[in-house]
Amino acid sequence: MSVIEKKAVQKVEGGGILSPAGFKAGGIHIGLRYEKKDFGVIYSERPAQSAAVYTQSHFQAAPLKVTQESIASAGLLQAIVCNSAIANACTGDQGLKDAYKTRELIAKRFRLPEEYVAVASTGVIGECLPMEKIEQGCSHIAVHKDYNSAKSFQQAILTTDLVEKAACVEVTVDGKTITIGGAAKGSGMIHPNMGTMLGFITTDANISAPVLQSALKKAVNTTFNQITVDGETSTNDMVIVMANGTADHKPLNENHPDWENFQEGLTLLCEDLAKQIARDGEGATKLVEVSVKGAHSDGDAKVIAKKIVGSNLVKTAIYGADPNWGRIVGAMGHSPAVLQPDTCDIYIGGELVFSEGTPQVFNEQSVSDYMKNEEHVEISVFLKDGAGEGKAWGCDLTYDYVKINASYRT
């Protein structure tokens, strides 16, 4: 791995869930998918302070209920087990029994208390797990601390994703380096509220579960909660973090002099994973980033940014490389946020296309070429109504999105 730049918070190329000390992982194929890996585990060598955020869907999947119970018991985890292909959502009492059974089997496999195990699933809603395959997976899964083991886990959690998603940052605390690593999956049914699809974060930081919970929630609110692919919130959305405390520093809390470094690092990691999910949206060809500044509040800025990036008309215009700023105005116009149309400026790339209620003369061909040739399209909005700022990320809407979801179960 090589560090991009040296500062208190820095991104690390090539890192992931096994970059922090004291973690192992693995992933195998147990037959839930035709050929690809579909069953994975992250393991901490010692009990880790843990926190998580979950989907706000009324139809919360069984694994999330079991995980919430595990974390609530002591705030400690030592293993996370995840299967793909089948979500174990809307499966009634049997689904809950299967999630508990999975937790029990992994606890026995690694000789842990059951409440030290979290459970996650992703895939088709409404199907029960084939427990004979799950039992086989629990008995055969092995974990190691190496690059291939991290990749195996990353592969095992994917569904319609085209690429694996991993990230890592290093943070200076008490003059020492702590590491935060992560892996995620997500491609469709992404319009999160409190979590997004599945995100797994590991760190060797010394921090208590309640403080970690607060830090995670703050990080998620400006990152994972600010992405949208198709406006759909999954039954299984969850972001979970384990902190095993192997780093040699004083316990982190909001009064620690390096607290802001840790919060910044956790947020940077979440943003990196969130953007990877948005870029890998089903059928997508482009990552779309919307930045809003000068809003009445940060909350309004985030609402407006997400409204723009979530608009199907904006998304299709970007796919078609059509610099139709009217689509952006249309999306902003029915957001619940406070804004003044007569003081609004809109840029596509670096080109001013609308200013203070008036269309601007701009080179349409140049902007269209930018939208066509760049994989990262930026839309910037300046409202001149306050100091609020916010960003959101999404992707374009293509023919392939319809193809993928028209045959999702076949």
Side-chain angles (χ1 to χ4, degrees), residues 144-156:
H144 304 281
K145 190 173 182 65
D146 56 57
Y147 176 77
N148 288 333
S149 296
K151 279 190 68 68
S152 291
F153 177 83
Q154 291 159 197
Q155 293 164 355

Side-chain angles (χ1 to χ4, degrees), residues 168-304:
C168 180
V169 300
E170 290 181 345
V171 179
T172 300
V173 176
D174 291 340
K176 307 176 190 309
T177 298
I178 70 167
T179 307
I180 310 173
K185 66 83 52 186
S187 188
M189 279 192 85
I190 296 174
H191 188 76
N193 183 8
M194 290 301 292
T196 177
M197 299 310 291
L198 295 178
F200 304 98
I201 301 170
T202 58
T203 179
D204 47 22
N206 181 6
I207 183 172
S208 70
V211 177
L212 186 61
Q213 181 69 45
S214 176
L216 178 64
K217 184 175 181 180
K218 185 175 181 180
V220 165
N221 280 341
T222 58
T223 59
F224 286 114
N225 278 354
Q226 286 300 109
I227 62 173
T228 182
V229 168
D230 49 19
E232 301 294 338
T233 299
S234 171
T235 54
N236 293 58
D237 293 349
M238 177 169 63
V239 179
I240 187 168
V241 56
M242 291 194 292
N244 64 16
T246 58
D248 182 22
H249 62 82
K250 295 178 181 178
L252 280 162
N253 57 52
E254 293 183 353
N255 296 319
H256 192 290
D258 293 321
W259 171 253
E260 290 303 321
N261 289 349
F262 178 77
Q263 183 68 70
E264 181 185 346
L266 181 61
T267 302
L268 178 62
L269 179 95
C270 290
E271 180 180 314
D272 193 330
L273 291 173
K275 289 164 72 173
Q276 290 182 56
I277 289 173
R279 175 62 184 85
D280 194 30
E282 289 173 338
T285 65
K286 303 178 188 303
L287 171 69
V288 183
E289 179 174 313
V290 177
S291 171
V292 176
K293 295 184 177 180
H296 186 70
S297 67
D298 287 348
D300 280 353
K302 290 192 295 182
V303 166
I304 293 168

Side-chain angles (χ1 to χ4, degrees), residues 66-82:
V66 173
T67 294
Q68 289 176 68
E69 181 184 293
S70 288
I71 293 178
S73 65
L76 296 171
L77 292 176
Q78 225 173 321
I80 303 171
V81 56
C82 180

Side-chain angles (χ1 to χ4, degrees), residues 31-48:
L32 303 180
R33 304 174 74 184
Y34 291 114
E35 295 179 347
K36 297 179 181 179
K37 293 182 176 69
D38 48 23
F39 190 81
V41 169
I42 302 174
Y43 173 78
S44 175
E45 293 175 347
R46 67 187 199 183

Side-chain angles (χ1 to χ4, degrees), residues 136-169:
Q136 180 185 23
C138 291
S139 63
H140 285 82
I141 189 76
V143 294
H144 304 281
K145 190 173 182 65
D146 56 57
Y147 176 77
N148 288 333
S149 296
K151 279 190 68 68
S152 291
F153 177 83
Q154 291 159 197
Q155 293 164 355
I157 65 177
L158 304 181
T159 50
T160 56
D161 309 60
L162 295 180
V163 297
E164 301 163 33
K165 301 163 185 70
C168 180
V169 300

